[in-house]
């Protein structure tokens, strides 16, 4: 007869200390999750939200646009994660040789300074920082590696609306 015959099976029981440890650990984890999960959602939610397409902003009456570039300032509503603000933008708006209205960004493509029109009586955009020059259409003539960016333009009900900035399509 072997030793195992006739013996009762041994049951492994949980001690009171183990039971309390598991119960308190589970409760603590549940409570920590209740505190941490909303914080994680708050931090991640704005990143996961779909970006809205930039709206077109009414800037100026179409009848006021001439062949000479004029600087127009306009405000857009920005939402950056949790921070909302009104940003003021600037555009140089004019009619091209083709008669179409277009708007150029004033940000120099060299190092990001703000360009001005005809500041040296040369019928060009000029950057005061490092002397970059651009044509009426924004073509880079010196210093800057690329032409000025353009705003998307929409004409509606006699007004010029400007949208997102895109790469220059005129040069």
């Amino acid at each position: 007869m072997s030793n195992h015959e006739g013996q009762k099976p041994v049951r492994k029981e949980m001690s009171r200390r183990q039971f309390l440890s598991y119960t308190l650990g589970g409760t603590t984890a549940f409570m920590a999750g209740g505190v941490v999960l909303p914080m994680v959602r708050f931090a991640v939610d704005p990143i996961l939200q779909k970006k809205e397409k930039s709206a077109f902003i009414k800037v100026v009456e179409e009848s006021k646009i001439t062949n000479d570039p004029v600087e127009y300032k306009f405000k857009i509503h920005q939402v950056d994660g949790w921070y909302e603000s009104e940003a003021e933008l600037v555009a140089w708006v004019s009619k091209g040789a083709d008669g179409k209205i277009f708007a150029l960004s004033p940000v120099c493509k060299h190092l990001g300074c703000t360009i001005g029109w005809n500041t040296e009586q040369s019928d060009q955009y000029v950057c005061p920082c490092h002397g970059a020059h651009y044509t009426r259409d924004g073509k880079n003539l010196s210093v800057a590696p690329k032409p000025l960016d353009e705003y998307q333009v929409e004409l509606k009900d006699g007004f010029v609306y400007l949208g997102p900035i895109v790469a220059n399509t005129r040069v």
Side-chain angles (χ1 to χ4, degrees):
M1 212 169 148
S2 72
N3 290 349
H4 296 292
E5 286 180 31
Q7 289 183 352
K8 289 185 179 178
V10 178
R11 285 179 48 201
K12 207 169 187 183
E13 291 189 13
M14 186 182 299
S15 72
R16 225 179 270 185
R17 179 172 285 171
Q18 286 174 319
F19 175 76
L20 287 174
S21 294
Y22 291 143
T23 303
L24 288 174
T27 304
T28 303
F30 178 76
M31 291 173 70
V35 171
V36 172
L37 287 177
M39 290 167 53
V40 169
R41 182 172 180 199
F42 176 77
V44 174
D45 221 21
I47 297 167
L48 298 179
Q49 287 181 3
K50 284 183 181 175
K51 299 282 183 208
E52 293 179 20
K53 271 192 170 178
S54 287
F56 280 76
I57 308 295
K58 185 193 283 188
V59 176
V60 62
E61 291 176 43
E62 191 176 342
S63 60
K64 290 185 178 178
I65 305 303
T66 65
N67 292 340
D68 285 325
V70 176
E71 181 183 50
Y72 290 98
K73 294 180 180 184
F74 59 101
K75 291 187 176 183
I76 63 164
H77 184 75
Q78 287 182 321
V79 179
D80 184 18
W82 311 265
Y83 182 69
E84 292 188 37
S85 64
E86 294 288 324
E88 186 174 77
L89 298 179
V90 176
W92 286 93
V93 184
S94 63
K95 282 185 185 174
D98 57 4
K100 289 184 178 178
I101 292 174
F102 68 99
L104 296 175
S105 166
V107 179
C108 181
K109 297 306 276 187
H110 178 229
L111 292 176
C113 292
T114 303
I115 53 101
W117 169 251
N118 222 10
T119 56
E120 297 175 358
Q121 310 306 322
S122 59
D123 207 34
Q124 295 176 354
Y125 291 103
V126 179
C127 179
C129 296
H130 303 100
H133 286 251
Y134 301 88
T135 66
R136 286 177 174 268
D137 288 327
K139 181 176 181 357
N140 49 319
L141 297 174
S142 65
V143 182
K146 293 197 258 180
L148 292 171
D149 288 332
E150 241 184 292
Y151 284 96
Q152 290 180 3
V153 174
E154 193 175 274
L155 304 176
K156 187 172 147 189
D157 301 326
F159 286 92
V160 176
Y161 289 78
L162 298 184
I165 289 178
V166 294
N168 195 309
T169 62
R170 302 188 61 81
V171 295

